[in-house]
């Protein structure tokens, strides 16, 4: 073979390789930067598809600019956290609607999509474990002087405000200030230290623990005036993955028992009452620390959890009936592989997280069926959805989801629609997105893009800087998702699109500046991604 022939052959092969590579790159969105400079209109004005944003309580209720952008560009919202079990269910099992009601009031004029009634994360897991009997305290008391019968002996006052001495901590024997026995602790805090519960703080004596074992702290408390606030903090940090602090507990004027569970990682520990958040007078009595022992009667546990699930779903849907007209009833019931979720295959969850509670482990497939039945009974007119992630990149998981929906509908569940989260990256396969949309459309159900965001630094490389070219790659992916949704999901099945957040720096994916997954910069200026979504919505 002559040299020129060899040279030409090599060049031809190289050209074919480049051509094939470019085809693959185009599928991933790499070369499709486009022009997305037009961001002049509100998203909601470009389409009759409901355009939503996931919002957070603090910026929506305190940042006028954040709220204005949401109301300017969107006609719907999803609460990122404040309708979830962990946000609403209190330590005694009651439902506190204070914050979701306040957030709802801040969203006047916007449609609110309910999220979420059944999930394995963001649960009040301590309450569920205690109530169901999944874990029970042992008999032995580990805490010395739990009832304050000898005054404050064994207890230490650490902080009394800022400046020091503002609050007073004393023992009381007044009958209506004592829960049991003859004594209690009385704390008078005349000053609110917002965001600084530790400013007024009383510590227990140390007690013995065994590393790796679980313990529960309980105590009874009431306040002189409604709206008090208290929490526990541990003197020694618990095992990795757990929280050192209990969430703030809203305290009323009647005695209530509060519990806090933790896993020890030392031979001794202490706990502290933190009471600096709200000005009030607190009465604390009958504190206790006991080891937790697991139950073996899982049938009884399942029955109790059924009651707890019913109470939460019925309470939520009834409270917001007529206002919230669509709900994510169950969320992420499949494992990453597409199997029905349980404790073993939940490799996407931190097993030590304090808010983790896998309902499916104890209720089996009844969890999904009963959740939809309870939601339907509470509001028959509400639209009910099942929500899942990763189905654009896993055919087995997508097929498992559709099979589960078919199974549950066959058992009488009212499932009106499917939500696909689409937490994707700039180089996610276009083909996978298209295939998913086509299969979802074939179900005949309503289809939502429920939690859309696009990572631009999916490998979390340190020192990442978002360049204009990369911003265009991200924008191209946003537009492709909108195009695919409109192309493959029939108009009658398009229930809405929700961008999962507002500004990059408030995204759950922000990772201290390593990713910029949303439509707005930190200063609320619009990124090319905004123009791309707008362009996709306008395209016929």
């Amino acid at each position: 073979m002559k040299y020129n022939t060899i040279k030409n052959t090599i060049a031809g092969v190289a050209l074919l390789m480049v051509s094939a590579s470019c085809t693959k790159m185009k599928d991933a969105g790499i070369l499709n930067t486009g022009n997305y400079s037009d961001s002049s209109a509100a998203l909601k004005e470009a389409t009759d598809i409901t355009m939503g944003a996931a919002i957070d309580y603090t910026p929506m209720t305190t940042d006028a600019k954040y709220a204005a952008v949401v109301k300017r560009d969107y006609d719907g919202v999803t609460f990122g956290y404040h309708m979830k079990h962990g946000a609403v269910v209190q330590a005694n099992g009651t439902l506190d609607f204070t914050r979701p009601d306040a957030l709802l009031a801040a969203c006047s004029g916007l449609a609110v999509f309910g999220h979420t009634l059944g999930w394995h994360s963001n649960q009040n897991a301590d309450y569920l474990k205690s109530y169901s009997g999944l874990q029970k305290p042992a008999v032995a008391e580990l805490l010395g002087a739990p009832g304050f019968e000898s005054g404050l002996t064994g207890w230490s006052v650490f902080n009394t405000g800022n400046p020091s001495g503002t609050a007073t901590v004393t023992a009381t024997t007044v009958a209506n200030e004592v829960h049991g026995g003859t004594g209690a602790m009385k704390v008078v805090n005349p000053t609110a230290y917002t965001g600084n519960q530790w400013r007024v703080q009383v510590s227990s004596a140390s007690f013995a623990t065994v590393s790796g074992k679980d313990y529960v702290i309980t105590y009874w408390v009431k306040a002189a005036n409604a709206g008090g606030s208290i929490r526990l903090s541990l003197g020694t940090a618990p095992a990795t993955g757990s929280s050192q602090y209990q969430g703030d507990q809203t305290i009323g004027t009647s005695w209530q028992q509060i519990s806090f569970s933790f896993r020890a990682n030392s031979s001794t520990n202490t706990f502290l009452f933190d009471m600096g958040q709200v000005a009030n007078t607190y009465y604390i009595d009958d504190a206790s620390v006991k080891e937790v022992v697991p139950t073996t009667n899982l049938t009884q546990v399942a029955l109790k959890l059924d009651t707890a699930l019913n109470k939460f779903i019925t309470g939520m849907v009834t409270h917001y009936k007529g206002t919230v007209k669509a709900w994510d009833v169950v969320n992420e019931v499949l494992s990453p592989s597409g199997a029905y979720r349980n404790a073993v295959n939940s490799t996407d969850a931190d097993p030590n997280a304090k808010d983790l509670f896998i309902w499916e482990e104890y209720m089996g497939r009844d969890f999904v069926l009963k959740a939809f039945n309870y939601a339907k009974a509470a509001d028959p007119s509400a639209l009910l959805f099942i929500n899942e992630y990763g189905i654009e990149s896993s055919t087995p998981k997508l097929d498992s989801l559709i099979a589960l929906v078919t199974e549950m509908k066959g058992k009488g569940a009212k499932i009106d629609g499917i939500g696909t989260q689409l937490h994707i990256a700039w180089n996610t396969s276009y083909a996978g997105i298209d295939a998913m949309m086509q299969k979802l459309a074939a179900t005949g159900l309503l289809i939502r893009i429920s939690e859309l965001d696009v990572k631009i630094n999916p490998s979390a490389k340190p020192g990442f800087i978002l360049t204009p070219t990369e911003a265009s790659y991200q924008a191209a992916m946003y537009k492709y998702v909108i195009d695919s949704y409109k192309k493959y999901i029939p108009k009658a099945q398009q229930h809405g699109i929700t961008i999962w957040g507002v500004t990059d720096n408030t995204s759950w994916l922000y990772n201290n500046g390593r990713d910029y997954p949303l439509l707005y910069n930190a200063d609320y200026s619009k990124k090319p991604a905004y123009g791309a979504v707008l362009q996709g919505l306008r395209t016929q």
Side-chain angles (χ1 to χ4, degrees):
M1 186 178 290
K2 293 182 179 179
Y3 173 76
N4 284 342
T5 303
I6 296 173
K7 181 179 178 182
N8 291 338
T9 301
I10 293 174
V13 171
L15 181 61
L16 286 172
M17 291 176 65
V18 170
S19 177
S21 175
C22 286
T23 299
K24 184 176 180 181
M25 292 167 73
K26 287 180 181 179
D27 176 66
I30 295 174
L31 299 181
N32 300 338
T33 55
N35 182 356
Y36 310 111
S37 58
D38 181 7
S39 61
S40 57
L43 299 180
K44 65 182 180 182
E45 294 172 355
T47 180
D48 55 1
I49 299 172
T50 299
M51 288 300 300
I55 58 169
D56 295 319
Y57 177 85
T58 299
M60 192 66 187
T61 58
T62 63
D63 185 339
K65 195 165 187 178
Y66 179 102
V69 166
V70 171
K71 292 185 176 183
R72 179 193 69 196
D73 293 332
Y74 300 95
D75 45 18
V77 292
T78 301
F79 297 177
Y81 176 70
H82 280 89
M83 282 187 173
K84 292 176 181 174
H85 191 278
V88 176
V89 177
Q90 303 303 291
N92 62 0
T94 60
L95 276 57
D96 184 353
F97 299 107
T98 304
R99 284 212 159 189
D101 282 354
L103 188 52
L104 187 69
C107 295
S108 176
L110 297 168
V112 176
F113 186 87
H115 176 80
T116 177
L117 299 174
W119 193 27
H120 60 271
S121 292
N122 290 169
Q123 307 294 290
N124 187 333
D126 282 347
Y127 167 72
L128 291 172
K129 291 174 183 178
S130 173
Y131 170 77
S132 68
L134 184 62
Q135 292 181 338
K136 295 183 177 180
V139 174
E141 176 60 58
L142 303 179
L143 183 65
F148 303 97
E149 309 310 322
S150 301
L152 299 183
T153 301
W155 296 83
S156 302
V157 179
F158 277 18
N159 295 299
T160 56
N162 182 23
S164 180
T166 303
T168 59
V169 182
T170 59
T172 178
T173 57
V174 177
N176 67 357
E177 297 176 354
V178 174
H179 178 262
T182 59
M185 178 168 63
K186 179 178 181 179
V187 179
V188 180
N189 174 29
T191 306
Y193 301 102
T194 303
N196 292 281
Q197 283 278 36
W198 59 271
R199 290 292 188 186
V200 179
Q201 192 174 62
V202 180
S203 175
S204 73
S206 64
F207 49 88
T209 55
V210 177
S211 183
K213 288 193 173 183
D214 293 321
Y215 296 84
V216 61
I217 302 170
T218 62
Y219 60 97
W220 288 85
V221 60
K222 71 174 183 177
N225 302 298
S229 181
I230 194 172
R231 76 173 183 194
L232 284 185
S233 57
L234 292 178
T236 301
T240 301
S242 298
S243 172
Q244 188 173 2
Y245 301 100
Q246 180 186 40
D248 292 343
Q249 305 295 305
T250 301
I251 306 303
T253 57
S254 299
W255 286 106
Q256 62 192 89
Q257 188 179 41
I258 306 295
S259 64
F260 177 57
S261 300
F262 69 95
R263 179 165 295 171
N265 65 346
S266 63
S267 59
T268 60
N269 215 318
T270 62
F271 69 85
L272 303 95
F273 292 113
D274 299 341
M275 298 161 283
Q277 177 84 8
V278 176
N280 214 320
T281 297
Y282 300 93
Y283 308 99
I284 302 170
D285 202 2
D286 297 331
S288 172
V289 179
K290 294 182 178 180
E291 183 184 341
V292 170
V293 291
T295 185
T296 57
N297 189 344
L298 294 183
T299 300
Q300 184 178 11
V301 168
L303 291 172
K304 294 284 282 185
L305 287 174
D306 183 15
T307 301
L309 182 68
N310 189 355
K311 180 179 178 180
F312 176 63
I313 292 178
T314 301
M316 288 293 294
V317 177
T318 300
H319 186 78
Y320 294 107
K321 184 176 181 179
T323 302
V324 176
K325 298 179 181 180
W327 290 90
D328 279 334
V329 178
V330 292
N331 190 48
E332 300 178 7
V333 295
L334 300 180
S335 74
S337 68
Y340 192 72
R341 185 176 294 276
N342 59 40
V344 175
N345 63 27
S346 291
T347 55
D348 53 348
D350 180 354
N352 294 312
K354 282 190 63 61
D355 65 354
L356 177 68
F357 190 86
I358 302 174
W359 298 83
E360 300 95 318
E361 179 75 9
Y362 310 101
M363 296 182 67
R365 300 175 94 78
D366 280 352
F367 166 64
V368 176
L369 180 61
K370 289 187 173 183
F372 275 97
N373 286 346
Y374 296 145
K376 175 186 175 182
D379 186 358
S381 65
L383 296 174
L384 307 181
F385 285 76
I386 187 169
N387 194 41
E388 193 54 81
Y389 80 97
I391 55 176
E392 75 288 342
S393 57
S394 171
T395 299
K397 189 171 186 178
L398 173 60
D399 291 345
S400 293
L401 176 63
I402 293 172
L404 178 63
V405 169
T406 301
E407 174 193 346
M408 292 300 149
K409 287 180 69 66
K411 293 179 178 180
K414 179 183 183 290
I415 302 179
D416 299 299
I418 299 174
T420 173
Q421 294 182 17
L422 284 176
H423 297 297
I424 57 177
W426 66 280
N427 55 354
T428 295
S429 168
Y430 286 170
I433 294 170
D434 288 344
M436 177 198 67
M437 294 294 184
Q438 292 173 71
K439 283 192 174 184
L440 291 178
T443 67
L445 299 176
L446 296 172
I447 305 300
R448 287 180 55 80
I449 297 177
S450 57
E451 304 181 19
L452 176 60
D453 47 31
V454 178
K455 289 183 182 180
I456 194 63
N457 183 22
S459 59
K461 294 180 291 186
F464 177 80
I465 297 175
L466 180 62
T467 67
T469 299
E470 288 165 326
S472 292
Y473 295 160
Q474 178 187 59
M477 180 56 72
Y478 266 110
K479 183 176 183 297
Y480 196 87
V481 169
I482 306 301
D483 289 344
S484 182
Y485 182 69
K486 293 175 65 178
K487 179 178 180 180
Y488 293 113
I489 306 298
K491 191 69 176 176
Q493 291 176 247
Q494 296 174 5
H495 187 262
I497 300 169
T498 295
I499 309 299
W500 202 247
V502 181
T503 57
D504 282 334
N505 61 309
T506 58
S507 168
W508 70 296
L509 296 171
Y510 183 58
N511 194 14
N512 295 314
R514 291 188 178 184
D515 218 316
Y516 303 86
L518 298 175
L519 308 188
Y520 307 85
N521 297 302
D523 63 358
Y524 299 101
S525 58
K526 298 171 182 176
K527 296 165 58 183
Y530 183 99
V533 172
L534 182 63
Q535 189 178 121
L537 293 173
R538 284 173 166 169
T539 302
Q540 297 300 317

